[in-house]
Amino acid sequence: FMIISPSFASKIAVATKVKGVAEIMKVEANDFSPLNSGTILDDGDKIRTGKSGFVSIIFIDDKSILKIKENSEAIITGKKTKKSISKKINMDGGTIRASITKQNVDFVIQTPTSVASVKGTDFWMLVDELLGDQIIGLEGQVSLVNSETGQEVLVSTGMTGISTPDGQVGMSQTDQSSIPEDPSDESQEGPSQVKIYLEGPNGEQKVFIIDYQ
């Protein structure tokens, strides 16, 4: 499917899979509306999933993927540089999986408890305002810093890092049964390519072709 879009500057990602209850509040809107696959995300859009909701988004610069599970809320922000987008996800609560391609730009997840900084990795993050944050490292390394104390733990493959509202951080070997299920592992229905037509600042057309699994 194809999307024509007039402005280029703030387009940062596209929703490739949407299941169950999933809503978006566009950055200029005051209310949520249903989120459909193929929707282009702008800097500052907020995504909310309900029970059994699931959203997968892909960033248009480096094809990093963010998967948002049920009962989650996240604001997707990104600042464009010449070649890439420095990305920041603000999460109040919920469960996400981030598969980040190795790149030099920042990818940061901010929660009420912690800041997670990422370069080239794959992990789950479980955010709970009362209990704190949990990062389950699948590949690569994630820096998890507690906002209260500034304590840091580096979460690597096979490890689970925690950061609590009272300022503690810790790490232990991952219990396999604690790894969330990834709904997109089960089904491969739907298109696996998106073409996005964007108009650049001088009226020039750009086409992004994104292949995804």
Side-chain angles (χ1 to χ4, degrees):
F1 44 87
M2 293 180 272
I3 299 109
I4 311 285
S5 178
S7 92
F8 175 70
S10 61
K11 311 291 173 199
I12 55 172
V14 60
T16 53
K17 278 198 176 120
V18 179
K19 294 181 183 178
V21 176
E23 299 173 304
I24 185 168
M25 189 191 294
K26 296 299 289 179
V27 65
E28 70 280 356
N30 302 319
D31 215 347
F32 282 95
S33 54
L35 175 62
N36 303 309
S37 67
T39 299
I40 295 184
L41 301 180
D42 294 299
D43 173 27
D45 285 353
K46 187 180 215 176
I47 291 177
R48 181 170 77 181
T49 55
K51 195 179 170 196
S52 78
F54 174 75
V55 177
S56 182
I57 71 172
I58 192 162
F59 288 93
I60 60 178
D61 60 332
D62 59 10
K63 300 185 182 157
S64 289
I65 294 169
L66 188 70
K67 295 172 179 178
I68 304 170
K69 286 200 71 171
E70 70 274 354
N71 301 322
S72 302
E73 202 163 288
I75 298 172
I76 316 295
T77 65
K79 297 283 177 275
K80 275 205 171 99
T81 60
K82 272 187 180 158
K83 287 189 174 165
S84 56
I85 299 170
S86 68
K87 308 165 189 74
K88 185 176 178 188
I89 314 299
N90 288 299
M91 273 196 82
D92 287 338
T95 303
I96 56 170
R97 180 177 179 178
S99 306
I100 313 303
T101 53
K102 284 186 167 61
Q103 86 280 49
N104 297 320
V105 299
D106 297 328
F107 193 106
V108 172
I109 300 169
Q110 176 115 36
T111 79
T113 306
S114 327
V115 177
S117 312
V118 185
K119 282 211 164 68
T121 183
D122 189 358
F123 64 96
W124 283 100
M125 186 165 189
L126 290 70
V127 178
D128 186 303
E129 204 158 354
L130 299 175
L131 300 174
D133 301 329
Q134 204 177 336
I135 283 188
I136 301 172
L138 303 178
E139 201 181 297
Q141 208 172 51
V142 185
S143 153
L144 180 62
V145 176
N146 187 282
S147 303
E148 182 82 15
T149 56
Q151 286 196 63
E152 178 185 24
V153 62
L154 283 172
V155 186
S156 50
T157 310
M159 303 301 279
T160 295
I162 58 158
S163 171
T164 61
D166 64 1
Q168 306 292 311
V169 294
M171 192 157 63
S172 59
Q173 210 152 359
T174 299
D175 170 2
Q176 292 301 306
S177 67
S178 71
I179 300 174
E181 275 180 38
D182 185 336
S184 52
D185 287 348
E186 302 152 18
S187 61
Q188 295 299 331
E189 83 284 355
S192 59
Q193 188 183 75
V194 180
K195 284 186 183 176
I196 307 175
Y197 289 85
L198 296 174
E199 204 171 284
N202 307 317
E204 73 275 18
Q205 286 280 325
K206 291 195 175 187
V207 184
F208 287 91
I209 298 177
I210 298 176
D211 294 290
Y212 59 90
Q213 297 304 315

